Amino acid sequence: MSSSDPAIVVAALYQFVTLDDFEALREPLFAQMQRLDVKGTLLLANEGINGTVSGTRESIDALLGWLKRDPRFAELGHKESYCDAHPFYRTKVKLKREIVTMGVPDVDPNRRVGTYVEPEQWNELIDDPEVLVIDTRNDYEVAIGSFEGAVDPRTKSFREFPEYVRQHYDPSRHKKVAMFCTGGIRCEKASSFMLNEGFEEVFHLKGGILSYLERVPEAQSRWRGDCFVFDNRVTVRHDLSEGEFEQCHACRMPISTADQSSDKYTPGISCPHCWDSLPEKTRASARERQKQIELARARNQPHPIGRNPRTER
């Protein structure tokens, strides 16, 4: 890495793998992340591991090497992007029932999953008029970027996806379905669900949008817009550089430069998406958070932006 390269590696990783002892993994994993000064959040559940972390090149390599010494993580994949400073302020390892929450019993990608499609073959698949292409992400993510012709389910959370599918699609009519998400984890679980529902041919983009943006030249791309990411960069462009969107600390929506010029935008407190709908309790909390952010900035200290309820990648 040259002196002009970004100093921080951002690694998004997940693997569906049965972890019967996932509770016991928490403390040694957390200790390893702290020792290496790796920041971000990793989730552990019986069904696997998921999360995004940041650190120096040496730290990220060391953490991945430590994980892969466990034979169950030998095939652990990850996607990288880069920035000048940590996009996370804290180090966390959380225990969960699911590493991506769908809330449907008996959906297990460790047992059954759709057909992986490499990014280089994705354009050919979605250009097929017989293929139904579904964006499995939430509405605020789809609003700032998606693939040409993809269906937007307009879901607020991944928990709503199963009911959306049941209400809108029929396995007897929709023979071929292709799905995608940010890093691959949601559409992998969604493909397992749809196979259980009786859909015959179910495909999903291997490695998600981030792998597509990394491996498919922009001149050949079917992607339009930015891609939402779950860290302080908010969005990335096709070249995986940081986008121009900010995030409203009150409602968590991504906000454009036009949004920030609106008279309905008050930094940290409201934006055009939430200025007339936030409960007063939430607004008061946002005011206090913004006060703490401004104090931290004045002292040149890191400033956590508060809990982000949208933790699904």
Side-chain angles (χ1 to χ4, degrees):
M1 181 180 288
S2 71
S3 59
S4 61
D5 287 335
I8 297 298
V9 179
V10 182
L13 59 93
Y14 81 91
Q15 184 181 354
F16 283 105
V17 57
T18 301
L19 301 175
D20 292 327
D21 62 341
F22 72 96
E23 297 98 335
L25 293 175
R26 182 187 180 278
E27 289 304 325
L29 176 55
F30 180 71
Q32 196 67 210
M33 292 171 68
Q34 284 197 310
R35 184 182 71 80
L36 295 169
D37 191 31
V38 171
K39 300 185 186 300
T41 300
L42 290 178
L43 308 180
L44 293 171
N46 181 260
E47 68 180 10
I49 186 171
N50 175 32
T52 305
V53 294
S54 64
T56 63
R57 173 80 276 163
E58 294 77 12
S59 294
I60 293 298
D61 288 347
L63 178 65
L64 293 172
W66 182 85
L67 283 166
K68 290 181 179 181
R69 284 199 287 274
D70 184 329
R72 295 172 298 182
F73 295 132
E75 303 301 319
L76 178 66
H78 75 287
K79 291 163 288 298
E80 293 184 354
S81 53
Y82 309 91
C83 54
D84 294 324
H86 276 290
F88 305 108
Y89 298 119
R90 297 186 179 97
T91 299
K92 299 178 183 179
V93 179
K94 298 182 178 181
L95 303 180
K96 297 286 186 179
R97 291 187 177 181
E98 302 176 74
I99 56 173
V100 57
T101 303
M102 175 178 273
V104 178
D106 301 322
V107 173
D108 184 1
N110 289 310
R111 295 200 314 260
R112 192 183 193 195
V113 74
T115 302
Y116 295 95
V117 180
E118 296 290 342
E120 292 84 355
Q121 279 73 57
W122 183 249
N123 287 356
E124 181 180 358
L125 176 66
I126 66 174
D127 284 348
D128 183 343
E130 294 184 2
V131 173
L132 169 66
V133 184
I134 305 176
D135 192 330
T136 66
R137 301 171 305 150
N138 299 327
D139 53 3
Y140 62 94
E141 300 168 82
V142 182
I144 59 174
S146 191
F147 283 106
E148 287 181 357
V151 174
D152 175 9
R154 301 186 183 278
T155 53
K156 300 293 184 185
S157 76
F158 192 47
R159 281 181 173 274
E160 297 177 9
F161 184 79
E163 188 59 29
Y164 166 80
V165 169
R166 288 165 176 161
Q167 289 185 5
H168 291 84
Y169 303 117
D170 182 347
S172 66
R173 292 192 299 113
H174 302 97
K175 298 293 187 179
K176 296 181 180 180
V177 181
M179 295 176 293
F180 62 92
C181 59
T182 309
I185 186 170
R186 272 180 285 187
C187 52
E188 189 162 340
K189 197 160 192 177
S191 76
S192 182
F193 163 76
M194 294 192 76
L195 287 170
N196 286 354
E197 292 291 301
F199 292 88
E200 296 177 8
E201 293 186 73
V202 182
F203 305 89
H204 51 103
L205 177 58
K206 187 175 182 180
I209 300 161
L210 295 179
S211 284
Y212 181 92
L213 299 182
E214 179 183 13
R215 291 164 56 179
V216 175
E218 189 167 0
Q220 301 171 17
S221 179
R222 301 293 194 277
W223 179 262
R224 298 294 179 263
D226 279 13
C227 177
F228 185 91
V229 290
F230 292 87
D231 59 54
N232 291 346
R233 294 171 300 168
V234 185
T235 68
V236 294
R237 300 183 179 93
H238 201 288
D239 62 0
L240 297 180
S241 64
E242 185 173 345
E244 295 183 355
F245 284 80
E246 297 292 336
Q247 192 168 30
C248 176
H249 298 170
C251 71
R252 315 306 304 172
M253 287 289 289
I255 47 178
S256 65
T257 52
D259 290 331
Q260 295 168 59
S261 299
S262 168
D263 58 6
K264 298 180 177 67
Y265 175 65
T266 303
I269 297 172
S270 67
C271 74
H273 302 286
C274 68
W275 69 279
D276 62 347
S277 60
L278 277 183
E280 183 52 40
K281 182 178 179 180
T282 303
R283 199 177 301 280
S285 177
R287 290 192 191 100
E288 179 59 28
R289 186 189 306 120
Q290 185 63 20
K291 178 181 176 181
Q292 296 304 317
I293 288 172
E294 290 170 359
L295 287 172
R297 282 176 176 159
R299 297 167 183 158
N300 198 29
Q301 297 174 338
H303 52 279
I305 62 173
R307 183 181 71 87
N308 187 347
R310 293 166 174 160
T311 56
E312 303 147 340
R313 286 175 36 247

